[in-house]
Every structure is written in C-alpha cells, then in structure tokens.
Amino acid sequence: MPVISVPQAFNEEDLYVDLRPMLGQPLFLKCEGFNFAGSIKLKAATEMVESAERRGIIGRDSILVESSSGNLGVALSVIAASKGYRFFCVTDSRCNLATRLMMEALGSKVHVVSEGIAEGGLLGARLAFVRDLCAADPHCVWLSQYTNADNWKAHYYRTAPAIARGFPHLDVLFIGVGTTGTLMGCARWFRNWHRPVRIVAVDSVGSAIFGDPPGRRMIPGLGMSVRPPLLDEAYVDEAVRVEEADTIRTCRGLAMRGFLFGGSTGTVVSGAKNWLDRHDTRGLTPVAIAPDLGERYLDTIYQSNWVQGLYGEDVLLPDEPTEEEGRARRAGASEGVTF
C-alpha cells in the first residue's frame, strides 16, 4: 500500500494497454498519466527542480519561471506547491482552459501570450516574455526545459529502464517529440542496451523539429516551431509526422473504447499505427509512450464544435453524432426519449 507525503513521490510506472484489439496491430501503450500532475512531465519537472536545488540555484525566495504549452506547467505547479516555491508559467492561447485553471488552482501565476513574433511564433513570444521576467527580477529562476539536460536525464534514469524491465525483447519504441526530452533520454539509454531497439520519433505536421517549415498547430503538447536544442538526430532511427485530424480521430476512437487519452497520446498512437501498417509486424514487440490523459482536452479534441470549426465534419468518426445531432439526442433524453 503506497503512502506518500509529497505528490511527486507517486507515479505509476508499470501500466500498459494492449492496443492490438483496437488497432489490429501489436502495440503496447505505456501510460504515463497516472500521477498527481497527470502526465509524463512530472518526471522532467522533478528532475529539473531537484537538480537545481542540489546545485544551489534555487533558494527559498526563488520564483520558478517556465514556458510551457500545458503539461510541464501543471507538473511544476504541483512541485512548487509541494515545496513552497512560487511558480510563474508563461503559456499561449493554445493551452487548454482546464490546464490553465489547474495551474492557478495549485497557486501558480499564469500569463497567456496571444500573439506570436516574426522569429519563433508563439513559442518565440513566450520565450521573450520569460527573458524579460528574469531580467526584471533577480529572484526568477528559469528552468528552461528546452535546453536543460535534466529534462532528458529524467527519462534516461526512469522511463527507459522501466520499459526495459517490462519488455526485455523490445524491438521498436515510439516516442512523441516536443522538447525531445523523453526522446533523447530513452534513445540514449537504449543505444547501449543488450539488443538493438529502433527509435521512432512521432511529430505533428506543422512542427519544425525535423527541418520542416513551421505551420498551424492547434493541439498543445507535441511539436515545436523551432529545432529543439536538446535534439541529437544521431540517436533517432526514423521520424514520422501526424496530421492533427488523425490525432483527433485516434483520440476519439480510443475514447469510444473507454480509453480517454490526451492529444499527445493520440498523435503517438496514430503515428505508431501508420508505421506498423507499413512494416512486417510478425514477432515484433513495439511499445509507444502515452504522455497524458484526456480530461484536459474535453473542451477541444472531445468537443465536436471545436473539432468541426477547425477541421470540418470529416474528422468525426462515422458513427459519431455532429454537435447538432448531439444536442437533439440530449434534449430527447431529458424528455425520456431513448435512441
């Protein structure tokens, strides 16, 4: 029976979903959302904060500052609240409302950037705001998930060894990319393992991580508008890109089977399935990492009006009702009518 006194002390490491019945392909999904921050970012946040504490960078009067599209901001909010630090998160207009409210409920201050800049878009504007904060107040400590080696070390020490324990015959590992912390930590660890593991990075269309021109991305989590400083492509065997419409279809399809996952997870699963469909999977042991759960996406990915407004009705699954049909069904149900 686990008994904890700080939230970061609990993280479920050994839960996997066998997706073969749903995908028609072998794929084990490592679920990283079962902790008090709700995502894999709790590991990186913990490692970055505790490493900064050991090095004397953070003191009792410090204000932790970070740019985040959501999940890392929540993770740092959890840790800051636990340790008694102040935390200032700089995010942008793509951040889900539920995520912003969660950070504020945990005592953090949140600033939302609504307009991008010519060099770097919304991310560039967020980073510029963080630099201004740090220049104006010497108490501010920028953890910088984009350049901080403790980001990838968290997954080198924890995520990769956990996967190796569960799957000693692992062949392929699918990892979503943003800052590339998870990717680089796992890839470095498996490079020296007892058997070769193919590392497949899964990115969003519109991301510039692997040299593509930046484009519109409305789902926070994966992808970046610039090349991540942590990325070393020598450790990556292959990169696949996923359209956001396919992310949404995958998320909503999994939800119809009772698994409510977040946008990052939908992208990873969609990319993994596309890769598996193009390869011989007989005898193959593939694992994908699911960074988050779906509650924070209820007003976006799982909201039909939002989906239809941005991507059209074609994104909805064939047996899904449109928003208008959904309202009619709900009205009928309130009158005792069954469908």
Side-chain angles (χ1 to χ4, degrees), residues 57-59 61-66 86-88 129-143:
I57 295 173
I58 297 176
D61 295 330
S62 296
I63 303 171
L64 306 184
V65 178
E66 187 56 277
R86 289 173 290 171
F87 173 53
F88 194 122
F129 193 93
V130 169
R131 292 189 190 99
D132 290 343
L133 279 178
C134 294
D137 190 338
H139 295 99
C140 290
V141 176
W142 184 11
L143 296 169

Side-chain angles (χ1 to χ4, degrees), residues 67-336:
S67 160
S68 169
S69 61
N71 283 338
L72 183 73
V74 173
L76 285 171
S77 296
V78 167
I79 293 171
S82 170
K83 292 177 174 286
Y85 297 128
R86 289 173 290 171
F87 173 53
F88 194 122
C89 183
V90 181
T91 187
D92 61 54
S93 52
R94 294 170 299 185
C95 180
N96 298 320
L97 175 61
T99 300
R100 299 202 301 267
L101 294 176
M102 191 175 297
M103 288 189 278
E104 291 170 350
L106 289 162
S108 300
K109 185 173 181 179
V110 181
H111 175 78
V112 180
V113 171
S114 57
E115 293 186 8
I117 59 177
E119 295 296 325
L122 286 169
L123 175 59
R126 279 162 38 189
L127 298 181
F129 193 93
V130 169
R131 292 189 190 99
D132 290 343
L133 279 178
C134 294
D137 190 338
H139 295 99
C140 290
V141 176
W142 184 11
L143 296 169
S144 187
Q145 62 167 324
Y146 310 101
T147 60
N148 193 330
D150 292 313
N151 183 350
W152 67 258
K153 288 178 182 178
H155 305 287
Y156 184 92
Y157 296 137
R158 294 190 58 183
T159 308
I163 294 170
R165 287 194 304 270
F167 295 89
H169 301 290
L170 177 68
D171 294 304
V172 186
L173 181 60
F174 299 96
I175 308 170
V177 290
T179 65
T180 69
T182 308
L183 173 71
M184 297 315 303
C186 291
R188 283 187 168 97
W189 196 93
F190 280 110
R191 174 62 62 91
N192 298 315
W193 201 35
H194 70 93
R195 61 181 281 127
V197 174
R198 187 166 188 82
I199 302 296
V200 180
V202 183
D203 198 7
S204 300
V205 170
S207 167
I209 290 177
F210 291 102
D212 300 316
R216 187 187 81 158
R217 290 180 295 112
M218 302 303 298
I219 300 173
L222 300 187
M224 283 182 64
S225 56
V226 298
R227 179 185 172 88
L230 295 178
L231 175 62
D232 184 345
E233 290 190 54
Y235 289 94
V236 181
D237 294 300
E238 189 174 348
V240 298
R241 284 88 167 165
V242 175
E243 296 276 1
E244 287 191 330
D246 292 325
T247 293
I248 293 167
R249 291 188 189 97
T250 300
C251 284
R252 294 171 77 105
L254 290 171
M256 297 297 285
R257 301 295 292 269
F259 292 102
L260 193 74
F261 284 111
S264 298
T265 299
T267 301
V268 173
V269 172
S270 179
K273 184 180 187 306
N274 289 343
W275 189 94
L276 293 167
D277 285 343
R278 293 183 282 106
H279 291 78
D280 184 357
T281 60
R282 289 172 295 181
L284 198 72
T285 300
V287 170
I289 298 175
D292 56 1
L293 301 178
E295 292 92 340
R296 297 171 198 173
Y297 298 83
L298 293 178
D299 59 347
T300 54
I301 288 173
Y302 296 104
Q303 216 285 334
S304 294
N305 270 349
W306 186 88
V307 171
Q308 290 173 246
L310 289 172
Y311 306 96
E313 290 188 10
D314 291 344
V315 176
L316 299 178
L317 300 178
D319 55 348
E320 275 193 280
T322 64
E323 187 64 23
E324 183 176 346
E325 291 168 339
R327 283 196 299 271
R329 291 189 181 191
R330 290 190 291 274
S334 68
E335 298 170 2

